[in-house]
Amino acid sequence: MKRIPGHPDPASAAPAPRVEQRHAPDHARLSLGFADDAGTTRLVRRQHFGPLRVQKPLYPEHPSICHAIIVHPPGGIVGGDQLAIDAEVESGAHALLTTPGAGKWYRANGSVSRQTINLKAGAGATLEWLPQETIFFDAADVRMEHTVELAADAAYLGAEILCFGRTASGESFNSGAVGQRTAIRRGGKLLWFEQGKLQAEAMRGPLALDDNTVCATLIAVGDGMDSALLATLRERIDALKPEGRSGATLMKQVLVARYLGQSSQAARQWLHAAWQVLRPAVAKHEAAIPRIWNT
């Protein structure tokens, strides 16, 4: 083809080949320590490396209960990122850990992303791990490990809401995998252990999520749980008539409640209702919804 003076060469006018940007993996760590100071729970240790932070201690309920909001400034985790959070609540203290919004796990781009949570609570202490929902984008490849060590008379409330795909944007979780391992010990004895791996290709089956996209779990460990509390919990969550299915089981020192459905909003309402029933029995305090959950 003859080039016309003053006009660009057709070859040079073609779009340049797309070069995929490679992300340098983030390795972030956060270590927190809480202690009782004459009836006030104080954040006495705060160490971090990389993009993990904690906002200043908050006391929306009572000085004995310290709320701490864990922040991941990048706003999302990509393939190769590794996050580690350690928190210890010393004897007689009470800490509630949460997040300012949903956690987002992006596509893997060939690398596995990991999160490791290690929690400890001393004698007579209470620890609540209540992050907001976690969203797995299509093609995410994630491994999550959660370990809890409790003294023989410590209490624990832990929750999670997992959302597979950005359904509000019309995106499904068509490829990728999420592996989880959870272990809870009290007084040196293993009370709860579960592990599994959800492959996108198989998660729609009846032995996985049964074609649902959202699941939630609330685990309570402590004294004061009995069949009457279990009946109250079941009645409360049934009264919500949530979109989806839910159930609860009591095993001596451990109570586990689960939700399965299509709506993260319904899962959040279910979780809040279940927490409001269990917290007074396990943590000896009425449930006050953290303000950050409503923003």
Side-chain angles (χ1 to χ4, degrees), residues 139-279:
D141 196 357
V142 180
R143 303 294 179 271
M144 309 177 83
E145 186 160 348
H146 192 93
T147 302
V148 182
E149 296 279 352
L150 305 172
D153 61 348
Y156 171 74
L157 285 159
E160 67 179 12
I161 299 174
L162 307 181
C163 308
F164 294 87
R166 295 179 299 163
T167 54
S169 301
E171 178 188 282
S172 300
F173 192 71
N174 294 316
S175 63
V178 176
Q180 288 186 287
R181 176 182 294 174
T182 301
I184 303 175
R185 290 177 172 83
R186 193 178 194 223
K189 297 180 180 179
L190 183 64
L191 299 182
W192 181 259
F193 180 82
E194 67 174 335
Q195 65 178 350
K197 185 177 181 182
L198 279 172
Q199 294 281 162
E201 297 80 1
M203 62 187 297
R204 293 181 176 85
L207 298 181
L209 296 189
D210 198 18
D211 212 26
N212 291 285
T213 59
V214 178
C215 62
T217 302
L218 175 60
I219 299 178
V221 179
D223 301 321
M225 297 187 295
D226 54 22
S227 58
L229 177 67
L230 179 64
T232 300
L233 174 63
R234 288 172 171 170
E235 182 180 349
R236 177 69 181 275
I237 59 180
D238 288 346
L240 283 175
K241 300 188 185 304
E243 304 172 16
R245 293 171 284 169
S246 66
T249 303
L250 176 62
M251 299 166 287
K252 293 185 178 179
Q253 302 176 62
V254 182
L255 192 153
V256 180
R258 297 195 190 272
Y259 166 88
L260 191 61
Q262 301 282 355
S263 167
S264 61
Q265 182 177 359
R268 195 181 308 119
Q269 293 173 346
W270 172 90
L271 182 60
H272 293 179
W275 177 65
Q276 287 174 318
V277 171
L278 294 179
R279 196 192 200 213

Side-chain angles (χ1 to χ4, degrees), residues 79 105-108 111-114 139-143 176-178 197:
W105 295 77
Y106 299 133
R107 63 183 299 116
S111 300
V112 175
S113 47
R114 301 181 184 276
D141 196 357
V142 180
R143 303 294 179 271
V178 176
K197 185 177 181 182

Side-chain angles (χ1 to χ4, degrees), residues 30-73:
L30 178 66
S31 180
L32 305 175
F34 300 86
D36 174 62
D37 178 16
T40 297
T41 296
R42 300 195 185 279
L43 178 58
V44 296
R45 186 179 76 253
R46 173 169 39 186
Q47 300 171 335
H48 66 83
F49 171 84
L52 270 177
R53 301 287 191 277
V54 64
Q55 294 182 352
K56 69 176 183 178
L58 302 172
Y59 298 90
E61 301 181 66
H62 188 272
S64 64
I65 306 173
C66 180
H67 288 220
I69 301 173
I70 297 174
V71 180
H72 181 237

